[in-house]
Amino acid sequence: MSQPTSQRLLLIACSKSKRTDPGLLPARERYTGGAYHTLNKAEREGVTLPQVLILSAEFGFLRPTDPIPAYDRTMTAQQVLELEPVLRAQWAHIVVPLLPGVTSTLVVMGYTYRSALIRADALLDLPGLVIALGGLGRQRQQLKDWLRATPGG
């Protein structure tokens, strides 16, 4: 994986499609959804990747290298409520250390995942916040464009 730039932060949702390998895999390898294809393709093309945080319906905030098992959990309204204290607790030791130097933050996830961030006040202090909106294809295009944009620009 390319060395991430400290100027940008990507908050991305986990994906329904996952590798089902037994045992633990790094989170970024476990998830196989469209946004992860976009990230992997950009990396293969030599794009310098931003710092990435994953919002999992099962685990809350994950770093791409965090080892996770195969699982199946959907972000529901009930799960948003249950994750709120988890996300608040994780904020200080997972998210805050990534923020110094960040000038641009992109959030790529559906409404229910975004509502988990909103409920936990996780969007309040993110520098240069942009939220990808629209359907999955439109959000992937916004991710692609953002990844290829000049950092800080």
Side-chain angles (χ1 to χ4, degrees):
M1 183 184 295
S2 300
Q3 189 67 16
T5 175
S6 65
Q7 295 179 343
R8 299 188 302 163
L9 174 63
L10 172 64
L11 284 172
I12 190 170
C14 62
S15 67
K16 182 176 174 87
S17 61
K18 299 171 188 68
R19 287 178 49 181
T20 57
D21 308 41
L24 301 175
L25 284 178
R28 184 160 165 232
E29 292 177 28
R30 177 70 66 192
Y31 301 119
T32 60
Y36 293 87
H37 287 288
T38 300
L39 270 178
N40 293 335
K41 182 177 181 191
E43 184 176 41
R44 284 192 307 273
E45 293 172 351
V47 172
T48 300
L49 296 183
Q51 298 180 95
V52 176
L53 276 180
I54 299 164
L55 178 56
S56 163
E58 179 75 9
F59 303 106
F61 290 117
L62 292 169
R63 296 169 200 91
T65 56
D66 287 343
I68 60 170
Y71 71 93
D72 186 24
R73 164 109 19 164
T74 303
M75 186 69 83
T76 62
Q78 181 61 38
Q79 189 61 11
V80 166
L81 294 175
E82 291 173 17
L83 267 182
E84 180 181 356
V86 173
L87 296 178
R88 287 181 184 276
Q90 292 175 328
W91 185 259
H93 71 276
I94 294 178
V95 182
V96 170
L98 298 178
L99 296 180
V102 169
T103 58
S104 177
T105 306
L106 179 66
V107 174
V108 179
M109 55 187 67
Y111 173 80
T112 308
Y113 282 84
R114 288 193 314 267
S115 68
L117 294 178
I118 291 166
R119 184 152 185 96
D121 293 328
L123 297 176
L124 295 178
D125 297 319
L126 296 174
L129 178 62
V130 175
I131 298 175
L133 298 173
L136 295 176
R138 184 161 150 66
Q139 287 190 35
R140 273 184 79 182
Q141 184 61 51
Q142 290 170 71
L143 171 60
K144 179 181 175 182
D145 293 345
W146 185 81
L147 287 170
R148 285 165 177 75
T150 304

Short mmCIF file of all heavy atoms in Angstrom, two decimals, residues 12-17 33-36 38 108-111 113-114 132-144:
data_model
loop_
_atom_site.label_atom_id
_atom_site.label_comp_id
_atom_site.label_asym_id
_atom_site.label_seq_id
_atom_site.Cartn_x
_atom_site.Cartn_y
_atom_site.Cartn_z
N ILE A 12 -15.02 5.98 5.09
CA ILE A 12 -15.73 5.12 4.16
C ILE A 12 -16.47 4.05 4.94
O ILE A 12 -16.00 3.60 5.98
CB ILE A 12 -14.71 4.52 3.15
CG1 ILE A 12 -15.39 3.81 2.00
CG2 ILE A 12 -13.72 3.63 3.83
CD1 ILE A 12 -14.43 3.43 0.88
N ALA A 13 -17.63 3.66 4.45
CA ALA A 13 -18.40 2.60 5.11
C ALA A 13 -17.82 1.24 4.76
O ALA A 13 -17.19 1.06 3.71
CB ALA A 13 -19.86 2.67 4.68
N CYS A 14 -18.04 0.29 5.63
CA CYS A 14 -17.73 -1.09 5.30
C CYS A 14 -18.61 -1.47 4.11
O CYS A 14 -19.40 -0.66 3.64
CB CYS A 14 -17.99 -2.01 6.50
SG CYS A 14 -19.72 -2.05 7.04
N SER A 15 -18.48 -2.66 3.60
CA SER A 15 -19.33 -3.04 2.48
C SER A 15 -20.04 -4.36 2.76
O SER A 15 -19.54 -5.19 3.52
CB SER A 15 -18.51 -3.14 1.18
OG SER A 15 -17.61 -4.22 1.23
N LYS A 16 -21.20 -4.50 2.15
CA LYS A 16 -21.95 -5.74 2.29
C LYS A 16 -21.14 -6.90 1.71
O LYS A 16 -21.12 -7.99 2.27
CB LYS A 16 -23.30 -5.61 1.59
CG LYS A 16 -24.17 -6.85 1.72
CD LYS A 16 -25.53 -6.64 1.10
CE LYS A 16 -26.33 -7.90 1.11
NZ LYS A 16 -27.08 -8.10 2.33
N SER A 17 -20.48 -6.65 0.57
CA SER A 17 -19.68 -7.72 -0.02
C SER A 17 -18.32 -7.77 0.68
O SER A 17 -17.66 -6.75 0.86
CB SER A 17 -19.53 -7.53 -1.52
OG SER A 17 -18.89 -6.32 -1.82
N GLY A 33 -16.50 -4.22 -1.66
CA GLY A 33 -17.51 -3.41 -2.34
C GLY A 33 -16.91 -2.43 -3.33
O GLY A 33 -15.69 -2.28 -3.45
N GLY A 34 -17.79 -1.73 -4.03
CA GLY A 34 -17.39 -0.83 -5.10
C GLY A 34 -16.40 0.24 -4.71
O GLY A 34 -15.44 0.53 -5.43
N ALA A 35 -16.60 0.87 -3.56
CA ALA A 35 -15.68 1.93 -3.14
C ALA A 35 -14.28 1.36 -2.91
O ALA A 35 -13.28 2.03 -3.17
CB ALA A 35 -16.20 2.62 -1.89
N TYR A 36 -14.21 0.13 -2.44
CA TYR A 36 -12.91 -0.51 -2.21
C TYR A 36 -12.24 -0.83 -3.54
O TYR A 36 -11.01 -0.73 -3.66
CB TYR A 36 -13.05 -1.74 -1.31
CG TYR A 36 -13.47 -1.32 0.07
CD1 TYR A 36 -14.81 -1.16 0.40
CD2 TYR A 36 -12.52 -0.98 1.02
CE1 TYR A 36 -15.20 -0.71 1.65
CE2 TYR A 36 -12.90 -0.53 2.28
CZ TYR A 36 -14.24 -0.39 2.58
OH TYR A 36 -14.60 0.08 3.81
N THR A 38 -12.60 1.02 -6.16
CA THR A 38 -12.12 2.35 -6.58
C THR A 38 -10.81 2.68 -5.89
O THR A 38 -9.86 3.16 -6.53
CB THR A 38 -13.19 3.42 -6.29
OG1 THR A 38 -14.39 3.08 -7.01
CG2 THR A 38 -12.72 4.81 -6.70
N VAL A 108 -17.74 8.89 2.44
CA VAL A 108 -18.39 8.10 1.40
C VAL A 108 -19.15 6.97 2.08
O VAL A 108 -18.55 5.97 2.50
CB VAL A 108 -17.36 7.53 0.39
CG1 VAL A 108 -18.06 6.68 -0.67
CG2 VAL A 108 -16.56 8.65 -0.26
N MET A 109 -20.45 7.15 2.22
CA MET A 109 -21.29 6.14 2.86
C MET A 109 -22.75 6.53 2.69
O MET A 109 -23.06 7.69 2.44
CB MET A 109 -20.94 5.96 4.33
CG MET A 109 -20.98 7.22 5.17
SD MET A 109 -20.36 7.01 6.86
CE MET A 109 -18.62 6.68 6.60
N GLY A 110 -23.61 5.56 2.84
CA GLY A 110 -25.03 5.80 2.72
C GLY A 110 -25.60 6.54 3.92
O GLY A 110 -24.92 6.78 4.93
N TYR A 111 -26.87 6.88 3.80
CA TYR A 111 -27.56 7.70 4.79
C TYR A 111 -27.49 7.11 6.20
O TYR A 111 -27.23 7.82 7.17
CB TYR A 111 -29.02 7.92 4.37
CG TYR A 111 -29.82 8.62 5.43
CD1 TYR A 111 -29.74 10.00 5.58
CD2 TYR A 111 -30.62 7.90 6.31
CE1 TYR A 111 -30.45 10.66 6.56
CE2 TYR A 111 -31.34 8.55 7.31
CZ TYR A 111 -31.25 9.92 7.43
OH TYR A 111 -31.94 10.56 8.42
N TYR A 113 -25.38 5.01 7.58
CA TYR A 113 -24.03 5.13 8.13
C TYR A 113 -23.72 6.57 8.52
O TYR A 113 -23.15 6.83 9.58
CB TYR A 113 -22.99 4.61 7.12
CG TYR A 113 -22.92 3.11 7.07
CD1 TYR A 113 -23.81 2.37 6.30
CD2 TYR A 113 -21.97 2.42 7.82
CE1 TYR A 113 -23.75 0.99 6.27
CE2 TYR A 113 -21.91 1.04 7.80
CZ TYR A 113 -22.80 0.33 7.03
OH TYR A 113 -22.74 -1.04 7.00
N ARG A 114 -24.08 7.52 7.65
CA ARG A 114 -23.87 8.93 7.98
C ARG A 114 -24.63 9.31 9.24
O ARG A 114 -24.14 10.08 10.06
CB ARG A 114 -24.29 9.84 6.81
CG ARG A 114 -23.34 9.79 5.64
CD ARG A 114 -23.59 10.90 4.63
NE ARG A 114 -24.97 11.12 4.27
CZ ARG A 114 -25.59 10.57 3.23
NH1 ARG A 114 -24.94 9.73 2.43
NH2 ARG A 114 -26.84 10.84 2.96
N ALA A 132 -19.95 12.83 0.16
CA ALA A 132 -20.38 12.33 -1.14
C ALA A 132 -21.86 11.97 -1.05
O ALA A 132 -22.28 11.26 -0.13
CB ALA A 132 -19.55 11.11 -1.54
N LEU A 133 -22.65 12.48 -1.97
CA LEU A 133 -24.09 12.26 -1.95
C LEU A 133 -24.53 11.58 -3.24
O LEU A 133 -23.79 11.54 -4.21
CB LEU A 133 -24.83 13.59 -1.77
CG LEU A 133 -24.54 14.34 -0.47
CD1 LEU A 133 -25.20 15.71 -0.49
CD2 LEU A 133 -25.01 13.53 0.73
N GLY A 134 -25.74 11.09 -3.22
CA GLY A 134 -26.30 10.42 -4.39
C GLY A 134 -26.21 8.92 -4.22
O GLY A 134 -25.88 8.40 -3.15
N GLY A 135 -26.51 8.22 -5.29
CA GLY A 135 -26.45 6.76 -5.29
C GLY A 135 -25.03 6.25 -5.21
O GLY A 135 -24.06 7.03 -5.25
N LEU A 136 -24.90 4.94 -5.14
CA LEU A 136 -23.57 4.34 -5.00
C LEU A 136 -22.64 4.71 -6.15
O LEU A 136 -21.47 5.01 -5.94
CB LEU A 136 -23.69 2.82 -4.89
CG LEU A 136 -24.40 2.30 -3.64
CD1 LEU A 136 -24.53 0.78 -3.69
CD2 LEU A 136 -23.66 2.73 -2.39
N GLY A 137 -23.16 4.68 -7.38
CA GLY A 137 -22.32 5.01 -8.53
C GLY A 137 -21.84 6.46 -8.49
O GLY A 137 -20.68 6.75 -8.77
N ARG A 138 -22.73 7.36 -8.11
CA ARG A 138 -22.35 8.77 -8.01
C ARG A 138 -21.33 8.99 -6.90
O ARG A 138 -20.38 9.74 -7.06
CB ARG A 138 -23.60 9.62 -7.78
CG ARG A 138 -23.35 11.10 -7.76
CD ARG A 138 -24.66 11.85 -7.99
NE ARG A 138 -24.79 13.13 -7.39
CZ ARG A 138 -24.12 14.24 -7.67
NH1 ARG A 138 -23.30 14.25 -8.49
NH2 ARG A 138 -24.29 15.38 -7.11
N GLN A 139 -21.52 8.31 -5.77
CA GLN A 139 -20.55 8.43 -4.69
C GLN A 139 -19.19 7.87 -5.10
O GLN A 139 -18.15 8.45 -4.76
CB GLN A 139 -21.06 7.72 -3.43
CG GLN A 139 -22.18 8.47 -2.75
CD GLN A 139 -22.50 7.90 -1.39
OE1 GLN A 139 -21.63 7.43 -0.67
NE2 GLN A 139 -23.78 7.93 -1.02
N ARG A 140 -19.19 6.76 -5.83
CA ARG A 140 -17.91 6.20 -6.31
C ARG A 140 -17.20 7.18 -7.23
O ARG A 140 -15.98 7.33 -7.19
CB ARG A 140 -18.13 4.88 -7.04
CG ARG A 140 -18.14 3.70 -6.13
CD ARG A 140 -18.26 2.41 -6.88
NE ARG A 140 -16.99 2.01 -7.47
CZ ARG A 140 -16.84 0.94 -8.22
NH1 ARG A 140 -17.86 0.17 -8.49
NH2 ARG A 140 -15.66 0.62 -8.70
N GLN A 141 -17.96 7.86 -8.09
CA GLN A 141 -17.36 8.84 -8.99
C GLN A 141 -16.78 10.01 -8.21
O GLN A 141 -15.69 10.48 -8.50
CB GLN A 141 -18.38 9.35 -10.02
CG GLN A 141 -17.78 10.30 -11.04
CD GLN A 141 -16.69 9.66 -11.87
OE1 GLN A 141 -16.88 8.58 -12.44
NE2 GLN A 141 -15.53 10.31 -11.95
N GLN A 142 -17.49 10.46 -7.17
CA GLN A 142 -16.97 11.54 -6.33
C GLN A 142 -15.70 11.09 -5.62
O GLN A 142 -14.74 11.86 -5.51
CB GLN A 142 -18.04 11.97 -5.32
CG GLN A 142 -19.21 12.69 -5.97
CD GLN A 142 -20.34 12.91 -4.99
OE1 GLN A 142 -20.22 13.72 -4.08
NE2 GLN A 142 -21.44 12.19 -5.18
N LEU A 143 -15.66 9.84 -5.17
CA LEU A 143 -14.46 9.29 -4.54
C LEU A 143 -13.31 9.27 -5.54
O LEU A 143 -12.20 9.71 -5.23
CB LEU A 143 -14.74 7.88 -4.00
CG LEU A 143 -13.52 7.11 -3.50
CD1 LEU A 143 -12.82 7.83 -2.36
CD2 LEU A 143 -13.94 5.69 -3.08
N LYS A 144 -13.57 8.78 -6.72
CA LYS A 144 -12.54 8.72 -7.76
C LYS A 144 -11.97 10.11 -8.04
O LYS A 144 -10.75 10.30 -8.09
CB LYS A 144 -13.13 8.10 -9.03
CG LYS A 144 -12.17 8.00 -10.18
CD LYS A 144 -12.87 7.40 -11.39
CE LYS A 144 -11.96 7.41 -12.60
NZ LYS A 144 -12.64 6.88 -13.79
#
